[in-house]
Amino acid sequence: MLETKYDAKSVEENKYDYWKESGYFKCGNKSKNPYSIVIPPPNVTGKLHLGHAMNVSIQDIIIRYKRMQGFDTLWLPGMDHAAIATEAKVVKRLKDQGIDKYEYGREKFLSACWDWTHEFGGNIRDQWAKMGISVDYSRERFTLDEGLNKAVTKVFVDYYNEGIIYRGERIINWDPEAQTALSNEEVLYKEIEGAFYHLKYYIEGTDEYLDVATTRPETLFGDTAVAVNPEDERYKKYIGKNVSLPIVGKLIPVVADLHADPEFGTGVVKITPAHDPNDFEVGNRHNLERVVVMNPDATMNEDAGKYVGMTREECREALLKDLEEQGLLIKVEPMTHSVGHSERTGVMVEPYLSKQWFVKMGTLAERVLKTQENNEEKVNFVPEKFEKTLTHWMENCYDWCISRQLWWGHRIPAWYKGEEVYVGETAPEGDGWIQDEDVLDTWFSSALWPFSTLGWPEKTEDMERYFPNDCLVTAYDIIFFWVARMVFQAEHITGTRPFKDCVIHGLIRDKQGRKMSKSLGNGVDPMDMIEKYGVDALRYYLATDVAPGTDLRFDEEKLTSTWNYINKIWNASRFVLLNIEDLDSIKLDDLTDEDKWILTKYEKILDSTIKHMDKYEFNLVGMETYNFIYDDFCSHYIEFAKFNSSSPTTKSVLYIVLSGILKMLHPFMPFVTEEIYGMLPIKTHESIMISDYPKVDETKIFEEEERVVDNKIEFIKSFRNVKNENNISKDAKVMISTDDEIIIKMLKLQDVMITEPMDIHSYNVKANEYEATIYFEKQVTEEELKLKEKQIKDLEASIARRKNLLANESYVAKAPEALVQKERETLAKEEELLNSLKDR
RNA sequence: GGGCAAUUAGCUCAGUUGGUUAGAGCAUCUGCCUUACAAGCAGAGGGUCUGCGGUUCGAGUCCGUAAUUGCCCACCA
């Protein structure tokens, strides 16, 4: 027997292992149509946060729904090796043990990374189990496993041969802490307090100087020119002359370049081609030398003269002091400007000239843009507006720097011997070849995830069956990083989109709308919430609280009310189970109006639920089923059923509706629905998760009875309202126009019904075809009279509005006939009600 | 600078293709321990849907415009 209170812990116990061991998560039934989703692989180093909880909840809802609908569902799990993130953590752990990465050596370091992976991967799997997600563990992959490595290498080699991947010297974002290149997306810009330092660059052989404003004086050792705008009258005369680099004394030319904006600063820009991407371009246009003045760890190198060995910051300080002493510093103008910082290590990114591998984006992006114009072939974003995020990125993308100066990752399959470069899946023949030390950007391998996990480049059955994936679920902040890359990679490599639908959800914020972060200390651990409210409550809340794609402000109070909702379902089930214990077969031969009414409501809500599920509108599913369960099922039908509880037909209806509710809710709250399903007297399947999702049964829709019972309910509500509003005691005598049993029982009128009017105060209640007069002793207070007046006034206003509307000829002519008819009926009802109110 | 959103009850949010009197939860007020549930039940109050203009018989919904807020991208020598 069920406890009177829902106890999440006991309900959730053991079920996950039971499902898993029964093989319910596994795909492969060839007699069914396939449906596939690949999980966005979480970083192996990480801990699942609420965002992950939301992400996997949504996917599990989709997959459980499709599974129950009879699809052969594959939900493929896996994790990401997260090159820089993991490497940073392992480096730190070794450092704490007094071990230096480079002294330790590549092989031992990688083995430490694998240890870390195995240690933390287990945590993630435990948390997945807590979330109840039905992933097929037999297909689990890792972005750095052997198969994926093969795929990554093949793509690299093919791209190289096609000329899509190239090696070049560019200004890249350099992380001096991790000592690696970063892609644009791995750089976060922060507003910081800085200054414009105005320096004197003397014109050669004169005592005239140019006022050069810079935020980065320490890069002046790398200056190889000064640029002015060719149209700038102030400086035209200096073009072609030389200026003397302060402190250094080296002569560099003044060049004319549009990059110099006369409106900005002093209109004179120092050009440092090796330390600024714009200057690099200017340098190319004017054939300037590129002088790198820093070491990879952002200390100054020998080109910085006496400042060699200092850090960027030390050098700036010392240099400014010297400049000032020599009278070369004109002024310091404080300003805030945004400066790039490494997403992972947090240090200031140094634009740095270096040799890196790049993916040429042009043709790849064009193909995506073209595909997105074709409705049959494009990736369908849900909500649709996120498609713009993708296309906008594709229209404005830069070549992608894919090499990382790390060890943990897919090693670049390139070998060098002197000036020779060899790119291939295996090492070249002959001696003297040295493999590139670098690895690939993590996103290069995760971009292949939708198909590399299915065995590509082999022509596997899985690839044939589950690719393209049906759906991908992720948050909008990951569209640039990952979604975009999966799309162009899949389209170029496999010739098709990676997935048909891309369901985008929002981010989770705290109650005040701030991002959850360690520094604010406002993070919430999903595991704590599961401990307190159960995972069903957490899943339901995360999946249904907000419209698709919008951010969710996490509010623990809502989790409490979700718990209450589950408790309501629990208790409604308890009532049903208590009453249908002896039910052994479904009998629907003498349906009452009320039975027909709830069946109709149920079929309608089912129909609507399926439509919303198919459009991933889980918030609407939540709202509609909630209203159905609370109002129609619990408040009304269960109350009706209490008067009729021995009827086999009513029992059958209770059974049908309850089991339908359980199935509709199962994807959202798998544990509690499984628990209750297990107690049903009639079961078609061993587990609800492999049972059939209900289908709409048109023969159980009874429009007329639905209307009849709706009218009864409306009357019941009006009656209660009048009694409540007027504080009328329970035993007030009532004369009523109907002998409808349900109405009489619901209103508890059995002992107070009279047939003759009484000569005391009374209220008249009228709704639809039902009418009642309530007699009471108490004097009518002034307050109550005012209330009545207000009701009459409101009603009169409404009638006037409606009359006006119906008098409008163009409304009657153009609005749908049914609507006009309904307006007329409502008007009639209102007029009748008004009369009865006045009668009281 | 470019782009994308948002603005609805005290708070957090819903509101499908325009169509009765705009809905939930929490909070507030009134009355109830009515044997599924008091973490409950029966009711109530609370909104000129950010402002202005337009299209329409009809606008929270479509168009324009202003304000405010948020996010993303680029740039900031």
Side-chain angles (χ1 to χ4, degrees):
Chain A
M1 185 43 56
L2 273 69
E3 299 294 321
T4 57
K5 269 195 170 55
Y6 157 61
D7 174 16
K9 276 212 183 84
S10 74
V11 163
E12 284 164 25
E13 214 174 9
N14 299 326
K15 287 199 176 54
Y16 193 76
D17 288 338
Y18 158 67
W19 290 329
K20 200 169 135 187
E21 279 154 25
S22 303
Y24 298 156
F25 298 166
K26 287 192 178 158
C27 67
N29 185 335
K30 301 268 166 56
S31 65
K32 298 175 172 182
N33 289 324
Y35 186 92
S36 61
I37 299 181
V38 294
I39 204 168
N43 286 358
V44 70
T45 58
K47 193 175 161 191
L48 298 189
H49 52 65
L50 275 175
H52 289 114
M54 181 190 223
N55 178 255
V56 297
S57 296
I58 292 170
Q59 292 172 78
D60 199 40
I61 287 164
I62 298 169
I63 249 351
R64 283 181 188 266
Y65 170 65
K66 291 291 175 181
R67 188 183 292 118
M68 288 171 79
Q69 280 194 325
F71 287 88
D72 167 32
T73 49
L74 165 61
W75 185 13
L76 187 145
M79 298 173 210
D80 194 302
H81 67 282
I84 190 168
T86 306
E87 178 147 336
K89 289 193 178 174
V90 175
V91 165
K92 188 174 179 299
R93 182 195 251 185
L94 290 174
K95 206 172 175 182
D96 291 344
Q97 298 166 13
I99 302 168
D100 177 79
K101 170 187 157 188
Y102 295 96
E103 285 169 19
Y104 206 47
R106 187 163 195 140
E107 207 168 309
K108 279 162 98 178
F109 180 79
L110 288 180
S111 139
C113 290
W114 279 110
D115 290 346
W116 180 282
T117 296
H118 295 134
E119 194 180 324
F120 282 84
N123 290 350
I124 288 178
R125 256 173 245 117
D126 289 345
Q127 293 181 319
W128 281 344
K130 280 267 189 192
M131 288 300 301
I133 67 172
S134 56
V135 289
D136 184 348
Y137 290 99
S138 70
R139 309 293 169 124
E140 184 175 341
R141 301 301 297 266
F142 184 55
T143 52
L144 206 52
D145 68 25
E146 204 184 317
L148 267 71
N149 187 253
K150 237 177 116 180
V152 166
T153 307
K154 181 173 165 51
V155 171
F156 189 97
V157 173
D158 288 353
Y159 274 18
Y160 179 78
N161 292 332
E162 291 170 51
I164 293 173
I165 279 182
Y166 65 92
R167 191 168 185 235
E169 213 169 46
R170 290 291 168 88
I171 299 280
I172 44 81
N173 301 296
W174 182 259
D175 178 337
E177 170 79 29
Q179 301 209 13
T180 178
L182 301 173
S183 69
N184 290 345
E185 285 73 14
E186 288 167 307
V187 178
L188 302 175
Y189 286 87
K190 286 185 205 161
E191 289 290 320
I192 62 163
E193 298 286 326
F196 245 154
Y197 302 95
H198 292 255
L199 310 181
K200 290 181 184 172
Y201 281 51
Y202 279 99
I203 311 290
E204 185 187 9
T206 72
D207 49 11
E208 282 182 89
Y209 61 84
L210 292 177
D211 178 348
V212 177
T214 177
T215 55
R216 306 230 33 215
E218 66 277 12
T219 62
L220 72 80
F221 307 104
D223 289 2
T224 49
V226 163
V228 297
N229 192 287
E231 301 303 318
D232 194 333
E233 294 300 332
R234 292 172 293 177
Y235 305 118
K236 260 188 176 167
K237 58 187 173 197
Y238 301 118
I239 295 167
K241 295 198 170 164
N242 286 327
V243 292
S244 165
L245 204 48
I247 306 281
V248 184
K250 179 180 161 190
L251 291 175
I252 54 172
V254 178
V255 299
D257 196 284
L258 291 172
H259 169 60
D261 176 359
E263 306 291 314
F264 192 85
T266 59
V268 189
V269 199
K270 69 194 221 21
I271 301 299
T272 322
H275 286 278
D276 182 280
N278 289 311
D279 292 5
F280 179 80
E281 298 297 328
V282 177
N284 285 350
R285 288 196 282 271
H286 300 275
N287 269 319
L288 301 173
E289 200 193 340
R290 302 163 186 164
V291 182
V292 175
V293 301
M294 284 178 210
N295 298 307
D297 63 354
T299 57
M300 307 307 292
N301 69 14
E302 51 281 0
D303 278 304
K306 70 172 202 182
Y307 308 97
V308 63
M310 293 183 184
T311 65
R312 299 176 276 190
E313 295 78 12
E314 290 163 354
C315 173
R316 178 183 298 185
E317 203 179 323
L319 175 65
L320 286 169
K321 211 174 146 206
D322 293 345
L323 285 165
E324 195 167 11
E325 277 170 15
Q326 297 184 26
L328 295 167
L329 181 64
I330 301 164
K331 61 175 173 176
V332 180
E333 197 183 330
M335 67 177 302
T336 57
H337 57 151
S338 69
V339 177
H341 290 72
S342 166
E343 191 198 12
R344 292 296 166 194
T345 63
V347 300
M348 207 186 287
V349 164
E350 187 62 42
Y352 199 69
L353 183 70
S354 77
K355 221 169 200 188
Q356 303 288 344
W357 288 94
F358 294 88
V359 172
K360 204 184 280 178
M361 288 304 303
T363 53
L364 296 175
E366 272 167 37
R367 173 163 189 156
V368 174
L369 291 170
K370 211 174 144 201
T371 307
Q372 286 309 108
E373 284 168 13
N374 181 327
N375 283 333
E376 298 302 307
E377 291 174 11
K378 71 175 194 177
V379 175
N380 300 297
F381 280 81
V382 180
E384 212 179 335
K385 66 180 179 190
F386 289 109
E387 192 177 323
K388 281 187 200 153
T389 309
L390 176 81
T391 50
H392 190 254
W393 189 80
M394 290 292 177
E395 281 160 3
N396 300 289
C397 56
Y398 295 82
D399 284 2
W400 174 19
C401 175
I402 52 170
S403 41
R404 295 289 181 278
Q405 289 65 46
L406 305 169
W407 286 348
W408 178 240
H410 297 277
R411 194 154 172 188
I412 292 175
W415 285 262
Y416 312 107
K417 186 157 89 179
E419 289 299 299
E420 279 182 86
V421 177
Y422 172 85
V423 170
E425 293 187 38
T426 52
E429 301 276 327
D431 295 331
W433 289 97
I434 299 164
Q435 188 173 3
D436 197 314
E437 288 289 316
D438 295 349
V439 299
L440 289 165
D441 181 7
T442 285
W443 299 103
F444 192 87
S445 52
S446 46
L448 313 178
W449 189 249
F451 50 93
S452 63
T453 50
L454 296 173
W456 188 91
E458 306 303 325
K459 288 197 170 84
T460 60
E461 261 183 56
D462 279 359
M463 189 63 194
E464 193 64 34
R465 190 165 169 77
Y466 303 113
F467 188 82
N469 307 151
D470 289 275
C471 177
L472 182 100
V473 181
T474 194
Y476 62 74
D477 63 339
I478 221 83
I479 295 176
F480 297 124
F481 280 111
W482 190 42
V483 177
R485 292 185 174 138
M486 281 191 286
V487 176
F488 70 69
Q489 294 288 54
E491 290 181 5
H492 185 80
I493 295 164
T494 71
T496 172
R497 60 185 167 188
F499 27 78
K500 293 175 192 132
D501 293 346
C502 186
V503 175
I504 302 292
H505 59 253
L507 307 179
I508 301 194
R509 300 175 174 280
D510 72 3
K511 213 179 164 182
Q512 283 88 48
R514 302 172 303 181
K515 264 191 169 168
M516 287 189 175
S517 71
K518 272 184 197 150
S519 54
L520 282 172
N522 59 352
V524 174
D525 184 345
M527 296 304 133
D528 293 345
M529 297 300 110
I530 291 173
E531 184 67 23
K532 282 170 88 169
Y533 305 97
V535 68
D536 285 332
L538 181 66
R539 290 170 55 121
Y540 181 86
Y541 166 50
L542 294 177
T544 62
D545 189 56
V546 288
T550 52
D551 288 351
L552 180 147
R553 292 192 187 203
F554 189 83
D555 182 355
E556 203 171 323
E557 276 182 5
K558 290 199 179 184
L559 219 35
T560 312
S561 44
T562 305
W563 186 94
N564 290 346
Y565 176 39
I566 298 178
N567 188 54
K568 182 80 181 177
I569 295 165
W570 180 264
N571 274 291
S573 305
R574 194 162 162 264
F575 172 84
V576 174
L577 292 171
L578 284 169
N579 282 282
I580 66 170
E581 273 172 326
D582 56 345
L583 187 71
D584 50 13
S585 63
I586 304 298
K587 291 191 192 72
L588 296 177
D589 37 21
D590 56 342
L591 292 168
T592 64
D593 284 358
E594 285 71 30
D595 296 334
K596 289 180 177 175
W597 173 83
I598 193 68
L599 287 172
T600 305
K601 296 285 186 199
Y602 166 71
E603 295 298 339
K604 286 185 174 178
I605 214 71
L606 174 61
D607 181 53
S608 168
T609 294
I610 291 169
K611 284 180 179 140
H612 291 312
M613 289 297 285
D614 289 341
K615 291 194 276 184
Y616 312 100
E617 294 167 336
F618 305 123
N619 61 322
L620 299 180
V621 173
M623 190 166 31
E624 290 180 8
T625 50
Y626 179 93
N627 290 334
F628 169 72
I629 289 168
Y630 255 95
D631 299 341
D632 296 338
F633 191 57
C634 293
S635 298
H636 300 122
Y637 188 72
I638 284 185
E639 296 305 322
F640 297 154
K642 284 178 182 171
F643 310 130
N644 224 354
S645 58
S646 59
S647 147
T649 300
T650 292
K651 288 180 190 201
S652 299
V653 172
L654 282 169
Y655 167 83
I656 288 172
V657 177
L658 177 65
S659 53
I661 286 171
L662 294 175
K663 288 178 181 185
M664 282 192 283
L665 291 181
H666 177 257
F668 297 86
M669 30 182 94
F671 292 95
V672 70
T673 49
E674 178 74 307
E675 178 83 2
I676 300 166
Y677 184 83
M679 296 181 205
L680 291 175
I682 304 171
K683 283 194 291 277
T684 49
H685 295 76
E686 220 174 275
S687 160
I688 192 170
M689 76 167 280
I690 51 162
S691 72
D692 301 321
Y693 202 86
K695 291 191 176 74
V696 176
D697 180 354
E698 299 284 345
T699 67
K700 292 203 183 73
I701 295 179
F702 307 94
E703 302 279 0
E704 179 54 21
E705 286 81 354
E706 184 192 18
R707 197 191 59 78
V708 166
V709 178
D710 276 344
N711 284 353
K712 288 188 198 179
I713 290 171
E714 197 186 332
F715 173 70
I716 290 168
K717 287 189 158 189
S718 307
F719 188 95
R720 284 172 175 166
N721 180 350
V722 167
K723 274 187 88 168
N724 243 315
E725 290 267 280
N726 299 293
N727 250 329
I728 296 172
S729 76
K730 283 189 268 197
D731 47 5
K733 298 288 182 234
V734 173
M735 196 170 74
I736 187 162
S737 71
T738 176
D739 59 356
D740 183 273
E741 226 179 308
I742 288 294
I743 290 178
I744 289 163
K745 285 181 173 165
M746 287 293 281
L747 295 177
K748 303 184 197 313
L749 299 180
Q750 292 93 325
D751 300 326
V752 297
M753 272 165 52
I754 53 171
T755 50
E756 294 297 321
M758 294 169 77
D759 190 21
I760 50 174
H761 299 290
S762 69
Y763 266 124
N764 199 264
V765 184
K766 193 161 179 175
N768 309 308
E769 60 266 51
Y770 308 105
E771 187 172 6
T773 311
I774 309 170
Y775 295 93
F776 59 106
E777 306 269 354
K778 193 171 66 101
Q779 198 66 38
V780 182
T781 66
E782 213 168 296
E783 223 173 82
E784 284 157 359
L785 279 174
K786 269 187 196 158
L787 192 77
K788 188 174 161 182
E789 271 168 32
K790 186 180 178 293
Q791 281 177 336
I792 290 173
K793 221 177 116 192
D794 288 351
L795 207 50
E796 278 171 346
S798 180
I799 287 168
R801 193 192 61 83
R802 221 176 291 279
K803 273 188 174 159
N804 200 24
L805 183 67
L806 286 165
N808 183 333
E809 279 175 32
S810 59
Y811 169 75
V812 177
K814 291 183 185 174
E817 181 56 30
L819 200 68
V820 178
Q821 192 51 38
K822 218 165 184 184
E823 284 290 336
R824 288 202 180 101
E825 281 167 21
T826 311
L827 179 63
K829 249 187 216 176
E830 282 179 338
E831 282 177 328
E832 207 180 330
L833 189 60
L834 182 65
N835 289 335
S836 79
L837 260 180
K838 283 181 173 165
D839 284 351
R840 280 180 194 171

